[in-house]
Amino acid sequence: MSPSQATCRPLAAHRHGALRGVARAPGDKSISHRAVMIGGLAVGETAIEGLLEGEDVLRTAAALRLLGAEASRDDDGTWRVFGRGVGGLAEAADVIDMGNSGTGARLLLGILAGHPFTAVLTGDASLRRRPMARVTEPLGRMGAAFTGRAGGRLPLAVTGPVDLLPISYNLPIASAQIKSAILLAGLHAPGRTTVVEPAATRDHTELMLAHFGARVEVDETADGGRVVTIDGQPELTGRPVRVPADPSSAAFLAVAALITPESEVRLPGVGLNPTRGGLYKVLTEMGGAVAVENHRHEAGEPIGDLVVRGSELKGVAVPADIAPTMIDEYPILAVAAACATGTTSLRGLAELRVKESDRLDAMARGLAACGVTLEAGDDWLEIHGTGHPPAGGATIATDLDHRIAMSFLVLGGVTSAPVAIDDGRPIDTSFPGFVDLMNGLGARIGAAEGII
Ligand code: S3P
């Protein structure tokens, strides 16, 4: 659906005072997808607490249902998945629509590669323009067949072979989605499937597969990468899963607090997996007051409570090698950089161009429209902050991208003039309730009609 249609939900953020209070960010999107999918491949019940009930994950649950697993929600919010066993999914009676979710689509392609039937996947306009060859190429080597649009784009049909081949694959880019698609396919292959990643990417698939009883071996390489090997055709057993609060969603609340003087916001139960922690390291280096309290472990994942206080931020150089640990956080980091004193240089951003939107372009254009001085290249961005909030006063095209939408609503909380976004609906893919949660802390976000 085009964002210019009348059904869009334009929102505007107005300057607010100190943000204060406790805010529970929603469940981790990456872990939620994996809990539902791996639960669907396990025997018995997987009870999931804290599942992200955003549209992306609901699409994954609907897909698993179409493929014969059971996934339902109790009144208290616990989700129960009853799986069909590894390789036990059944042909879907319809096209599977993954909505806006690249993670959902790519991981599911890995699972479908292990099933000897044909499935057709599609998605919204954003997902239909995103590259899929990065997963269909290795899955093709394992024996799966794909018929899709140019560049392997959705809609795409996948047919798994009767006997999938285990492979050893060197990832050409550091991507947890590609790694996970291959590992999930490898679950269905006899023997051992190995993925070598050039840099450590989020390891939720490995942790969750091990939690469900698979044998997963992980070795570090001398140059900071990892070699991940899975033994195929295990019996997975349904397990309870508690999903931590999503550090990528908490990032919007954290940066909003950091850039607003006198703020103090507590974010309980946030996932602290080191493969996701890049943003918080960079914010601390910028002078941001981010403290971690009550460090603990739940379901194999480290978590803690973040306490974030309004801070005077300074520009820093963010090198390319940290990108895999904060790949989704660049839009909100760019907002922090726009409010900092001095230059923040961001390198190694090529992958931002193939996210839900071209995020490098969206941030560069949106920040410039809000009066921020910056320069952008193919895979880099330099943002020159003055130490004062930017002017604002622009309406940003969010292009079906939840993180662009939330980033500019956070920025609008400190700019001189309000910042509007053309459509707030994509926020529901990852952070339902974002506007109410922000307003509960003291933000002033509302419908945009008549404001700008
Ligand atoms: C994800 C991996 C990342 C990230 C995405 C979620 C995952 O994508 O951007 O939001 O859950 O595996 P890439 O693997 O394409 O970097």
Side-chain angles (χ1 to χ4, degrees):
M1 191 179 295
S2 148
S4 61
Q5 283 179 261
T7 48
C8 286
R9 196 189 305 149
L11 296 173
H14 299 254
R15 190 160 61 184
H16 51 68
L19 300 178
R20 291 183 170 272
V22 180
R24 169 105 199 163
D28 189 284
K29 183 151 72 74
S30 294
I31 296 176
S32 294
H33 279 299
R34 287 157 172 84
V36 172
M37 288 189 194
I38 296 172
L41 297 175
V43 174
E45 179 186 289
T46 291
I48 310 168
E49 267 180 60
L51 188 84
L52 169 64
E53 294 178 333
E55 278 169 23
D56 280 10
V57 175
L58 297 179
R59 294 276 184 180
T60 288
L64 266 294
R65 265 188 233 112
L66 260 180
L67 293 162
E70 282 177 41
S72 60
R73 180 186 192 277
D74 291 351
D75 289 344
D76 70 355
T78 303
W79 278 75
R80 291 184 198 282
V81 178
F82 291 89
R84 301 280 304 239
V86 173
L89 295 175
E91 186 184 86
D94 204 347
V95 171
I96 302 174
D97 185 348
M98 299 308 290
N100 190 251
S101 180
T103 307
R106 295 192 178 114
L107 270 55
L108 192 63
L109 284 173
I111 291 173
L112 291 168
H115 288 80
F117 53 72
T118 297
V120 182
L121 258 60
T122 191
D124 71 4
S126 158
L127 187 56
R128 279 184 274 116
R129 64 182 176 236
R130 296 181 69 185
M132 291 295 148
R134 52 180 59 199
V135 291
T136 59
E137 199 274 324
L139 297 176
R141 288 195 203 188
M142 299 177 82
F146 297 90
T147 311
R149 292 165 59 226
R153 289 180 163 76
L154 302 184
L156 184 68
V158 49
T159 309
V162 175
D163 293 309
L164 200 67
L165 294 173
I167 56 167
S168 179
Y169 191 74
N170 288 324
L171 291 183
I173 35 181
S175 160
Q177 291 183 1
I178 310 176
K179 170 180 66 176
S180 301
I182 300 168
L183 293 176
L184 289 169
L187 258 190
H188 298 82
R192 312 186 87 201
T193 293
T194 297
V195 183
V196 183
E197 47 181 1
T201 67
R202 66 190 70 194
D203 58 358
H204 306 302
T205 303
E206 296 89 307
L207 293 177
M208 192 155 306
L209 283 170
H211 182 59
F212 279 73
R215 246 178 78 110
V216 185
E217 226 173 80
V218 182
D219 292 305
E220 314 275 326
T221 63
D223 51 2
R226 284 184 181 171
V227 181
V228 185
T229 299
I230 182 156
D231 285 5
Q233 302 184 330
E235 172 127 327
L236 300 182
T237 311
R239 295 296 308 270
V241 176
R242 262 175 101 168
V243 182
D246 195 324
S248 301
S249 297
F252 298 101
L253 308 169
V255 169
L258 282 176
I259 63 176
T260 312
E262 312 292 325
S263 294
E264 180 169 327
V265 171
R266 174 177 283 270
L267 307 169
V270 176
L272 298 177
N273 185 313
T275 62
R276 301 280 298 280
L279 175 78
Y280 295 97
K281 270 193 204 148
V282 172
L283 291 173
T284 306
E285 205 187 313
M286 292 174 83
V290 182
V292 181
E293 295 180 359
N294 301 321
H295 214 292
R296 55 204 190 270
H297 274 80
E298 276 179 12
E301 294 275 354
I303 66 167
D305 304 337
L306 301 186
V307 182
V308 187
R309 296 189 178 86
S311 304
E312 286 188 7
L313 301 177
K314 59 179 197 314
V316 294
V318 183
D321 62 7
I322 199 174
T325 65
M326 54 178 294
I327 195 65
D328 292 333
E329 279 66 81
Y330 284 99
I332 193 61
L333 175 60
V335 167
C339 299
T341 303
T343 296
T344 297
S345 68
L346 310 173
R347 307 276 153 186
L349 308 186
E351 278 293 296
L352 294 200
R353 296 206 179 269
V354 291
K355 294 297 178 187
E356 285 82 333
S357 70
D358 178 342
R359 287 185 175 155
L360 208 167
D361 189 53
M363 289 314 296
R365 281 197 292 132
L367 289 177
C370 290
V372 178
T373 308
L374 55 84
E375 289 138 75
D378 279 357
D379 67 348
W380 58 269
L381 196 55
E382 276 194 3
I383 298 169
H384 307 293
T386 62
H388 301 290
T395 298
I396 308 299
T398 51
D399 201 14
L400 291 175
D401 191 325
H402 53 132
R403 298 197 205 279
I404 298 300
M406 288 186 276
S407 295
F408 280 99
L409 291 176
V410 168
L411 181 66
V414 297
T415 48
S416 319
V419 173
I421 59 168
D422 63 351
D423 192 5
R425 289 174 305 166
I427 294 171
D428 292 343
T429 60
S430 69
F431 202 149
F434 171 75
V435 169
D436 289 345
L437 204 59
M438 282 287 290
N439 287 345
L441 295 172
R444 296 172 59 219
I445 302 172
E449 279 90 6
I451 292 172
I452 295 280

